[in-house]
């Protein structure tokens, strides 16, 4: 068995184990390439892991188009979690629509309203959640484990692609004809909200296009951060 085949088999085994031992479980998909690999594995195997995405209200139209591709390919409706409108309106009224460019605090407050609060709602009542994070993605993810104890959310967190390289991700997508966001073909290896994501140049870090005006150490949206610190969950794998 090649290293790649073993990686795929191990990942499928991790997902099978989550479905068997950790339900109810959910998968937080950003609809990016990594998350499409996991979506494909979960939906083709018809695993009882519910897939949702955070519809922040600031996503690219190409990202929203991925929802249609998933519907067509897998006959599956991704659950959408949206921010509370009153909180969005208050932030915009007080600070302006794009105040996240003004300071890290303003950026984190926007992410808290549009991502963190909806994420907490989506996770409530589950035993485990799954992410598509990879260790090689950024300086903030080098300590990632496949299975972690997420004390902040009071549940187990799985990162089944922790060991995958970017090449592995694309090998799986091509081999299995998995639908993906067309922005990946236009210089966007990492995709978030439209105003906070730009295309990168050849040779740049894969997350260089996310919040490009900030230092690499601050570049997380708060989904994996508690009280301003990156959560180093305990490995229990
Ligand atoms: S990524 Fe940008 S637009 Fe999206 S929630 Fe965070 S600060 Fe707001």
């Amino acid at each position: 068995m090649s290293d790649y085949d073993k990686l795929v088999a191990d990942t499928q085994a991790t997902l099978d184990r989550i479905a068997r031992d950790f339900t109810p479980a959910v998968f937080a998909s950003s609809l990016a390439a990594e998350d499409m690999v996991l979506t494909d594995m979960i939906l083709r195997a018809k695993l009882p892991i519910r897939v949702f995405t955070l519809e922040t209200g600031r996503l690219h139209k190409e990202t929203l188009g991925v929802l249609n591709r998933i519907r067509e390919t897998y006959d599956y409706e991704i659950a959408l979690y949206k921010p509370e409108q009153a909180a969005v309106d208050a932030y915009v009224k007080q600070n302006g629509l794009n105040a996240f460019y003004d300071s890290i605090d303003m950026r984190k407050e926007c992410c808290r309203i549009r991502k963190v609060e909806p994420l907490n709602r989506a996770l409530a009542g589950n035993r485990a959640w799954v992410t598509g994070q990879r260790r090689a993605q950024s300086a903030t993810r080098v300590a990632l484990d496949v299975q972690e104890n997420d004390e902040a959310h009071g549940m187990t967190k799985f990162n089944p692609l922790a060991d995958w390289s970017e090449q592995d991700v694309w090998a799986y997508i091509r081999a299995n004809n998995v639908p993906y966001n067309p922005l990946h073909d236009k210089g966007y290896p990492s995709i978030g909200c439209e105003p906070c994501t730009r295309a990168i140049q050849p040779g740049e870090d894969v997350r260089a296009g996310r919040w490009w005006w900030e230092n690499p150490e601050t570049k997380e949206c708060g989904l994996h951060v508690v009280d301003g610190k990156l959560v180093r969950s305990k490995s229990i794998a």
Side-chain angles (χ1 to χ4, degrees), residues 86-164:
V88 171
D89 290 347
Y91 177 95
V92 171
K93 187 170 176 205
Q94 195 171 347
N95 309 301
L97 181 63
N98 294 334
F100 39 78
Y101 292 131
D102 296 346
S103 70
I104 290 177
D105 284 347
M106 277 289 138
R107 200 271 288 166
K108 287 187 172 170
E109 178 60 3
C110 185
C111 283
R112 188 191 67 74
I113 292 169
R114 292 183 184 271
K115 293 182 171 181
V116 177
E117 187 281 326
L119 175 77
N120 290 340
R121 240 187 296 134
L123 296 186
N126 288 284
R127 286 186 64 199
W129 68 300
V130 180
T131 86
Q133 291 185 104
R134 290 186 297 106
R135 210 170 286 133
Q137 272 168 330
S138 71
T140 59
R141 297 185 179 177
V142 289
L144 205 65
D145 285 303
V146 169
Q147 181 173 343
E148 301 176 331
N149 182 23
D150 181 352
E151 288 172 12
H153 292 108
M155 63 182 68
T156 306
K157 179 179 177 183
F158 288 91
N159 310 297
L161 302 185
D163 297 328
W164 286 49

Coordinates of all heavy atoms in Angstrom, one line a residue, residues 86-164:
A86 N -29.1 41.0 14.6 CA -29.0 42.2 15.5 C -27.6 42.5 15.8 O -27.2 43.7 15.9 CB -29.8 42.0 16.7
A87 N -26.8 41.5 16.0 CA -25.3 41.7 16.4 C -24.6 42.3 15.2 O -23.7 43.2 15.3 CB -24.7 40.4 16.8
V88 N -24.9 41.7 14.0 CA -24.2 42.3 12.8 C -24.6 43.7 12.6 O -23.7 44.6 12.3 CB -24.7 41.4 11.5 CG1 -24.2 42.1 10.2 CG2 -24.1 40.0 11.6
D89 N -25.9 44.0 12.7 CA -26.4 45.4 12.5 C -25.7 46.4 13.5 O -25.3 47.5 13.1 CB -27.9 45.5 12.6 CG -28.6 44.8 11.5 OD1 -27.9 44.4 10.5 OD2 -29.8 44.5 11.6
A90 N -25.6 45.9 14.8 CA -25.0 46.8 15.8 C -23.5 47.1 15.5 O -23.1 48.2 15.6 CB -25.2 46.2 17.2
Y91 N -22.8 46.0 15.1 CA -21.4 46.2 14.7 C -21.2 47.2 13.6 O -20.4 48.1 13.6 CB -20.8 44.8 14.4 CG -19.3 44.8 14.0 CD1 -18.3 44.6 14.9 CD2 -19.0 45.1 12.6 CE1 -17.0 44.6 14.5 CE2 -17.7 45.1 12.2 CZ -16.6 44.8 13.1 OH -15.3 44.8 12.7
V92 N -22.0 46.9 12.5 CA -21.9 47.8 11.3 C -22.3 49.2 11.6 O -21.6 50.2 11.2 CB -22.7 47.2 10.2 CG1 -22.8 48.1 9.0 CG2 -22.2 45.8 9.7
K93 N -23.3 49.4 12.4 CA -23.8 50.8 12.7 C -22.7 51.5 13.5 O -22.4 52.7 13.3 CB -25.1 50.7 13.5 CG -25.7 52.0 13.7 CD -27.1 51.8 14.3 CE -27.7 53.2 14.6 NZ -28.7 53.2 15.6
Q94 N -22.1 50.8 14.5 CA -21.1 51.4 15.4 C -19.8 51.6 14.7 O -19.1 52.6 14.9 CB -21.0 50.6 16.6 CG -20.3 51.3 17.8 CD -20.4 50.5 19.0 OE1 -21.1 49.6 19.2 NE2 -19.6 50.9 20.0
N95 N -19.4 50.6 13.9 CA -18.0 50.6 13.4 C -17.8 50.7 11.9 O -16.7 51.1 11.4 CB -17.3 49.3 13.9 CG -17.5 49.0 15.4 OD1 -17.1 49.9 16.2 ND2 -18.1 47.9 15.7
G96 N -18.8 50.4 11.2 CA -18.7 50.4 9.7 C -18.7 49.0 9.2 O -18.3 48.1 9.9
L97 N -19.0 48.8 7.9 CA -19.1 47.5 7.4 C -17.8 46.7 7.4 O -17.7 45.5 7.6 CB -19.7 47.6 5.9 CG -19.9 46.2 5.2 CD1 -20.9 45.4 5.9 CD2 -20.3 46.5 3.8
N98 N -16.7 47.5 7.1 CA -15.4 46.8 6.9 C -14.4 47.3 8.0 O -13.2 47.4 7.7 CB -14.8 47.1 5.5 CG -15.7 46.5 4.4 OD1 -16.3 45.5 4.6 ND2 -15.6 47.1 3.2
A99 N -14.9 47.4 9.2 CA -14.1 47.9 10.3 C -13.0 46.9 10.7 O -12.0 47.3 11.4 CB -14.9 48.2 11.5
F100 N -13.1 45.7 10.2 CA -12.1 44.7 10.5 C -10.7 45.0 10.0 O -9.7 44.5 10.4 CB -12.5 43.3 10.0 CG -13.2 43.3 8.7 CD1 -12.4 43.4 7.5 CD2 -14.6 43.2 8.6 CE1 -13.1 43.4 6.3 CE2 -15.2 43.2 7.4 CZ -14.4 43.3 6.2
Y101 N -10.6 46.0 9.0 CA -9.3 46.4 8.5 C -8.6 47.4 9.5 O -7.4 47.6 9.4 CB -9.4 47.1 7.2 CG -9.9 46.3 6.0 CD1 -10.9 46.7 5.2 CD2 -9.2 45.1 5.7 CE1 -11.3 45.9 4.1 CE2 -9.7 44.3 4.6 CZ -10.7 44.7 3.8 OH -11.1 44.0 2.8
D102 N -9.4 47.9 10.4 CA -8.9 49.0 11.3 C -8.0 48.5 12.4 O -7.0 49.2 12.8 CB -10.0 49.8 11.9 CG -10.8 50.5 10.9 OD1 -10.3 50.6 9.7 OD2 -11.9 51.0 11.2
S103 N -8.3 47.3 13.0 CA -7.4 46.8 14.1 C -7.7 45.3 14.3 O -8.7 44.8 13.8 CB -7.8 47.5 15.4 OG -9.1 47.1 15.8
I104 N -6.8 44.6 14.9 CA -7.0 43.2 15.2 C -8.2 43.0 16.1 O -9.0 42.1 15.9 CB -5.7 42.6 15.8 CG1 -4.6 42.5 14.8 CG2 -6.0 41.2 16.4 CD1 -3.3 42.0 15.3
D105 N -8.4 43.9 17.0 CA -9.6 43.8 17.9 C -10.9 43.9 17.1 O -11.8 43.1 17.3 CB -9.6 44.8 19.0 CG -8.6 44.5 20.1 OD1 -8.1 43.4 20.1 OD2 -8.3 45.4 20.9
M106 N -10.9 44.8 16.2 CA -12.1 45.0 15.3 C -12.3 43.7 14.4 O -13.5 43.3 14.2 CB -12.0 46.2 14.4 CG -12.3 47.5 15.1 SD -14.1 47.5 15.3 CE -14.2 48.2 16.9
R107 N -11.2 43.2 14.0 CA -11.3 42.0 13.1 C -11.8 40.8 13.9 O -12.7 40.0 13.5 CB -9.9 41.7 12.5 CG -10.0 40.8 11.3 CD -9.9 39.3 11.6 NE -8.6 39.0 12.1 CZ -8.4 37.8 12.7 NH1 -9.3 36.9 12.9 NH2 -7.1 37.5 13.1
K108 N -11.3 40.7 15.1 CA -11.7 39.5 16.0 C -13.1 39.7 16.4 O -13.9 38.7 16.5 CB -10.8 39.4 17.2 CG -9.4 38.9 16.8 CD -8.5 38.6 18.0 CE -7.3 37.8 17.4 NZ -6.2 37.7 18.5
E109 N -13.6 40.9 16.6 CA -15.0 41.1 17.0 C -15.9 40.7 15.8 O -17.0 40.1 16.0 CB -15.2 42.5 17.4 CG -16.6 42.9 17.8 CD -17.2 42.1 19.0 OE1 -16.5 41.2 19.6 OE2 -18.4 42.2 19.3
C110 N -15.5 41.1 14.6 CA -16.3 40.7 13.5 C -16.4 39.2 13.3 O -17.4 38.6 13.1 CB -15.7 41.3 12.2 SG -16.7 41.0 10.7
C111 N -15.2 38.5 13.5 CA -15.1 37.0 13.4 C -16.0 36.4 14.6 O -16.6 35.4 14.4 CB -13.7 36.5 13.5 SG -12.7 36.7 12.0
R112 N -15.9 37.1 15.7 CA -16.7 36.5 16.8 C -18.2 36.5 16.5 O -18.9 35.5 16.7 CB -16.5 37.3 18.1 CG -17.1 36.7 19.4 CD -17.1 37.7 20.6 NE -17.9 38.9 20.4 CZ -19.3 38.8 20.4 NH1 -19.9 37.7 20.7 NH2 -20.0 39.9 20.2
I113 N -18.7 37.6 15.9 CA -20.1 37.7 15.6 C -20.5 36.8 14.5 O -21.5 36.1 14.5 CB -20.4 39.2 15.3 CG1 -20.3 40.1 16.5 CG2 -21.8 39.3 14.7 CD1 -20.4 41.6 16.2
R114 N -19.7 36.8 13.4 CA -20.1 36.1 12.2 C -19.6 34.6 12.2 O -20.2 33.9 11.3 CB -19.5 36.8 11.0 CG -20.0 38.2 10.7 CD -19.5 38.8 9.4 NE -19.9 40.1 9.2 CZ -21.0 40.5 8.5 NH1 -21.8 39.5 8.0 NH2 -21.3 41.7 8.3
K115 N -18.7 34.3 13.0 CA -18.2 32.9 13.0 C -18.3 32.2 14.3 O -18.8 31.0 14.4 CB -16.7 32.8 12.5 CG -16.5 33.3 11.0 CD -15.1 33.1 10.7 CE -14.8 33.3 9.2 NZ -13.4 33.2 8.9
V116 N -17.7 32.8 15.4 CA -17.5 32.1 16.6 C -18.9 31.8 17.3 O -19.2 30.6 17.7 CB -16.6 32.8 17.6 CG1 -16.5 32.1 18.9 CG2 -15.2 33.0 16.9
E117 N -19.7 32.8 17.3 CA -21.1 32.6 18.0 C -21.9 31.6 17.2 O -22.4 30.6 17.8 CB -21.8 33.9 18.1 CG -23.1 33.8 18.9 CD -24.3 33.3 18.1 OE1 -24.3 33.6 16.9 OE2 -25.1 32.6 18.7
P118 N -22.0 31.7 15.8 CA -22.7 30.6 15.1 C -22.1 29.2 15.2 O -22.8 28.2 15.3 CB -22.6 31.1 13.6 CG -22.4 32.6 13.7 CD -21.6 32.8 15.0
L119 N -20.7 29.2 15.3 CA -20.1 27.9 15.5 C -20.5 27.3 16.9 O -20.9 26.1 16.9 CB -18.5 28.0 15.5 CG -17.8 26.7 15.9 CD1 -17.8 25.8 14.7 CD2 -16.4 26.9 16.3
N120 N -20.5 28.1 17.9 CA -20.9 27.5 19.2 C -22.3 27.0 19.2 O -22.6 26.0 19.8 CB -20.8 28.6 20.3 CG -19.3 28.9 20.6 OD1 -18.4 28.1 20.2 ND2 -19.1 30.1 21.1
R121 N -23.2 27.7 18.4 CA -24.6 27.2 18.3 C -24.6 25.9 17.5 O -25.3 25.0 17.9 CB -25.4 28.2 17.5 CG -26.6 28.8 18.2 CD -27.4 29.7 17.3 NE -26.7 30.9 16.8 CZ -26.7 31.3 15.6 NH1 -27.4 30.6 14.6 NH2 -26.1 32.4 15.2
A122 N -23.8 25.8 16.5 CA -23.8 24.6 15.7 C -23.2 23.4 16.4 O -23.6 22.2 16.2 CB -22.9 24.8 14.4
L123 N -22.3 23.6 17.4 CA -21.6 22.5 18.1 C -22.5 22.1 19.3 O -22.3 20.9 19.7 CB -20.3 23.0 18.6 CG -19.2 23.3 17.5 CD1 -17.9 23.6 18.2 CD2 -19.1 22.2 16.5
A124 N -23.3 22.9 19.8 CA -24.1 22.6 21.0 C -24.8 21.3 20.9 O -25.4 21.0 19.9 CB -25.1 23.7 21.3
G125 N -24.6 20.5 22.0 CA -25.4 19.2 22.0 C -24.7 18.0 21.3 O -25.2 16.9 21.3
N126 N -23.5 18.3 20.8 CA -22.7 17.2 20.1 C -21.6 16.6 21.0 O -21.2 17.2 21.9 CB -22.1 17.7 18.8 CG -23.2 17.9 17.8 OD1 -23.7 16.9 17.2 ND2 -23.6 19.2 17.6
R127 N -21.2 15.4 20.7 CA -20.1 14.7 21.4 C -18.8 15.0 20.8 O -17.7 14.9 21.4 CB -20.3 13.2 21.5 CG -21.4 12.8 22.4 CD -21.4 11.3 22.5 NE -20.2 10.8 23.1 CZ -19.8 9.5 23.0 NH1 -20.5 8.7 22.3 NH2 -18.7 9.1 23.5
A128 N -18.8 15.3 19.4 CA -17.5 15.5 18.7 C -17.8 16.4 17.6 O -18.9 16.5 17.0 CB -17.0 14.2 18.3
W129 N -16.7 17.1 17.2 CA -16.7 17.8 15.9 C -15.5 17.6 15.1 O -14.4 17.2 15.7 CB -17.0 19.3 16.1 CG -16.0 20.2 16.8 CD1 -15.5 20.1 18.0 CD2 -15.4 21.4 16.2 NE1 -14.6 21.1 18.3 CE2 -14.5 21.9 17.2 CE3 -15.5 22.1 15.0 CZ2 -13.8 23.1 17.0 CZ3 -14.8 23.2 14.8 CH2 -13.9 23.7 15.8
V130 N -15.6 17.7 13.8 CA -14.6 17.4 12.9 C -14.2 18.7 12.1 O -15.1 19.5 11.8 CB -15.1 16.3 11.9 CG1 -14.0 16.0 10.8 CG2 -15.6 15.1 12.6
T131 N -12.9 18.8 11.8 CA -12.4 20.0 11.0 C -11.5 19.4 9.9 O -11.0 18.3 10.0 CB -11.6 21.0 11.8 OG1 -10.2 20.6 11.9 CG2 -12.1 21.2 13.2
G132 N -11.3 20.3 8.9 CA -10.4 19.9 7.8 C -9.0 20.5 8.0 O -8.3 20.6 7.0
Q133 N -8.6 20.9 9.2 CA -7.3 21.5 9.4 C -6.2 20.6 9.1 O -6.3 19.4 9.4 CB -7.2 22.0 10.8 CG -8.1 23.2 11.2 CD -7.8 23.7 12.6 OE1 -7.2 24.7 12.7 NE2 -8.2 22.9 13.6
R134 N -5.1 21.1 8.6 CA -3.9 20.3 8.3 C -2.7 21.0 9.1 O -2.7 22.2 9.1 CB -3.5 20.3 6.8 CG -4.5 19.4 6.0 CD -4.0 19.3 4.6 NE -3.9 20.5 3.9 CZ -2.8 21.2 3.6 NH1 -1.6 20.7 3.9 NH2 -2.8 22.3 2.9
R135 N -1.8 20.2 9.6 CA -0.6 20.7 10.3 C 0.2 21.7 9.5 O 0.7 22.7 9.9 CB 0.2 19.5 10.8 CG 0.9 19.7 12.0 CD 1.6 18.4 12.5 NE 0.6 17.5 13.1 CZ 0.4 16.2 12.7 NH1 1.3 15.7 11.9 NH2 -0.5 15.5 13.3
A136 N 0.3 21.3 8.2 CA 1.3 22.1 7.3 C 0.7 23.4 6.8 O 1.3 24.2 6.1 CB 1.6 21.2 6.1
Q137 N -0.6 23.7 7.3 CA -1.2 24.9 6.7 C -0.6 26.2 7.2 O -0.6 27.2 6.4 CB -2.7 24.9 7.0 CG -3.5 24.2 6.0 CD -4.9 23.9 6.4 OE1 -5.2 23.8 7.6 NE2 -5.9 23.9 5.5
S138 N -0.2 26.3 8.5 CA 0.3 27.6 8.9 C 1.0 27.4 10.3 O 1.0 26.4 10.9 CB -0.9 28.5 9.2 OG -1.6 28.1 10.3
A139 N 1.7 28.6 10.7 CA 2.4 28.6 11.9 C 1.5 28.3 13.1 O 2.0 27.9 14.2 CB 3.0 30.0 12.1
T140 N 0.2 28.6 13.0 CA -0.7 28.4 14.1 C -1.2 27.0 14.2 O -1.9 26.7 15.1 CB -1.9 29.4 14.0 OG1 -2.6 29.1 12.7 CG2 -1.5 30.8 14.0
R141 N -0.8 26.1 13.3 CA -1.4 24.8 13.3 C -0.4 23.6 13.4 O -0.7 22.5 13.2 CB -2.2 24.6 12.0 CG -3.4 25.5 12.0 CD -4.3 25.3 10.8 NE -5.4 26.3 10.9 CZ -6.4 26.5 10.1 NH1 -6.5 25.7 9.0 NH2 -7.3 27.4 10.3
V142 N 0.9 24.0 13.8 CA 1.9 23.0 13.8 C 1.7 21.9 14.8 O 2.3 20.8 14.8 CB 3.3 23.6 13.9 CG1 3.8 24.3 12.7 CG2 3.4 24.5 15.1
A143 N 1.0 22.2 15.9 CA 0.8 21.3 17.0 C -0.5 20.4 16.9 O -0.9 19.7 17.8 CB 0.8 22.0 18.3
L144 N -1.1 20.5 15.7 CA -2.4 19.8 15.5 C -2.3 18.3 15.6 O -1.4 17.7 15.1 CB -2.8 20.2 14.1 CG -4.3 20.1 13.7 CD1 -5.1 21.2 14.5 CD2 -4.4 20.4 12.2
D145 N -3.2 17.7 16.3 CA -3.3 16.2 16.4 C -4.6 15.8 15.7 O -5.6 16.5 15.6 CB -3.3 15.8 17.8 CG -2.0 15.9 18.5 OD1 -1.0 15.3 17.9 OD2 -1.8 16.6 19.5
V146 N -4.6 14.5 15.3 CA -5.8 13.9 14.7 C -7.0 14.0 15.7 O -8.1 14.3 15.3 CB -5.6 12.5 14.2 CG1 -6.9 11.8 13.8 CG2 -4.6 12.5 13.0
Q147 N -6.8 13.6 16.9 CA -7.8 13.6 17.9 C -7.4 14.5 19.1 O -6.3 14.3 19.7 CB -8.1 12.2 18.4 CG -9.2 12.1 19.4 CD -9.6 10.7 19.7 OE1 -9.3 9.7 19.0 NE2 -10.3 10.5 20.8
E148 N -8.2 15.4 19.5 CA -7.9 16.3 20.6 C -9.1 16.4 21.6 O -10.2 16.2 21.2 CB -7.6 17.7 20.1 CG -6.4 17.7 19.1 CD -6.2 19.1 18.5 OE1 -7.2 19.9 18.4 OE2 -5.1 19.4 18.1
N149 N -8.8 16.8 22.8 CA -9.8 17.0 23.8 C -10.1 18.5 23.8 O -9.2 19.3 24.2 CB -9.3 16.6 25.2 CG -10.4 16.8 26.2 OD1 -11.6 16.9 25.9 ND2 -10.0 16.9 27.4
D150 N -11.2 18.9 23.2 CA -11.5 20.3 23.1 C -12.3 20.8 24.4 O -13.5 20.7 24.5 CB -12.4 20.5 21.9 CG -12.8 22.0 21.7 OD1 -12.5 22.8 22.5 OD2 -13.4 22.3 20.6
E151 N -11.4 21.2 25.3 CA -12.0 21.6 26.6 C -12.9 22.8 26.5 O -13.9 22.9 27.2 CB -10.9 21.9 27.6 CG -10.1 20.6 28.0 CD -8.9 20.9 28.9 OE1 -8.7 22.0 29.3 OE2 -8.1 20.0 29.0
A152 N -12.6 23.7 25.6 CA -13.4 24.9 25.5 C -14.8 24.6 25.1 O -15.8 25.2 25.6 CB -12.8 25.8 24.5
H153 N -15.0 23.6 24.2 CA -16.4 23.3 23.8 C -16.9 22.0 24.5 O -18.1 21.6 24.2 CB -16.4 23.0 22.3 CG -16.1 24.3 21.5 ND1 -15.0 24.5 20.8 CD2 -16.9 25.4 21.3 CE1 -15.0 25.7 20.2 NE2 -16.2 26.2 20.5
G154 N -16.1 21.4 25.4 CA -16.6 20.3 26.1 C -16.9 19.1 25.3 O -17.8 18.3 25.5
M155 N -16.0 18.8 24.3 CA -16.2 17.7 23.4 C -14.9 17.3 22.8 O -13.9 17.9 22.9 CB -17.3 18.0 22.3 CG -16.9 19.1 21.4 SD -18.2 19.4 20.2 CE -19.5 20.1 21.3
T156 N -14.9 16.2 22.0 CA -13.7 15.7 21.3 C -13.7 16.4 19.9 O -14.7 16.5 19.3 CB -13.8 14.2 21.2 OG1 -13.9 13.6 22.5 CG2 -12.5 13.7 20.6
K157 N -12.5 16.8 19.5 CA -12.3 17.4 18.2 C -11.4 16.5 17.4 O -10.4 16.1 17.9 CB -11.7 18.8 18.5 CG -11.4 19.6 17.2 CD -10.8 20.9 17.6 CE -10.5 21.7 16.3 NZ -9.8 23.0 16.7
F158 N -11.8 16.3 16.2 CA -11.0 15.5 15.3 C -10.5 16.3 14.1 O -11.3 17.1 13.5 CB -11.9 14.3 14.7 CG -12.1 13.3 15.7 CD1 -13.3 13.3 16.5 CD2 -11.3 12.2 15.9 CE1 -13.5 12.3 17.5 CE2 -11.5 11.2 16.8 CZ -12.7 11.3 17.6
N159 N -9.3 16.2 13.8 CA -8.7 16.8 12.6 C -8.1 15.7 11.7 O -6.9 15.4 11.7 CB -7.5 17.7 13.0 CG -8.0 18.7 14.1 OD1 -8.8 19.5 13.9 ND2 -7.3 18.6 15.2
P160 N -9.0 14.9 11.0 CA -8.6 13.7 10.3 C -7.5 13.9 9.2 O -6.8 13.0 8.9 CB -9.9 13.2 9.7 CG -11.0 13.8 10.5 CD -10.4 15.2 10.9
L161 N -7.4 15.2 8.8 CA -6.4 15.5 7.7 C -5.1 16.1 8.3 O -4.3 16.6 7.5 CB -7.0 16.4 6.7 CG -8.3 16.0 6.0 CD1 -8.6 17.0 4.9 CD2 -8.1 14.6 5.3
A162 N -4.9 16.0 9.6 CA -3.7 16.6 10.2 C -2.4 16.3 9.5 O -1.6 17.1 9.3 CB -3.7 16.3 11.7
D163 N -2.3 15.0 9.1 CA -1.1 14.5 8.4 C -1.0 14.7 6.9 O 0.0 14.4 6.3 CB -0.9 13.0 8.7 CG -0.7 12.7 10.2 OD1 -0.2 13.6 10.9 OD2 -1.2 11.7 10.6
W164 N -2.1 15.2 6.3 CA -2.1 15.3 4.9 C -1.3 16.6 4.4 O -1.3 17.6 5.0 CB -3.6 15.5 4.4 CG -4.4 14.2 4.5 CD1 -4.5 13.4 5.5 CD2 -5.2 13.7 3.4 NE1 -5.4 12.4 5.2 CE2 -5.8 12.5 3.9 CE3 -5.5 14.1 2.1 CZ2 -6.7 11.8 3.2 CZ3 -6.4 13.3 1.3 CH2 -7.0 12.2 1.9

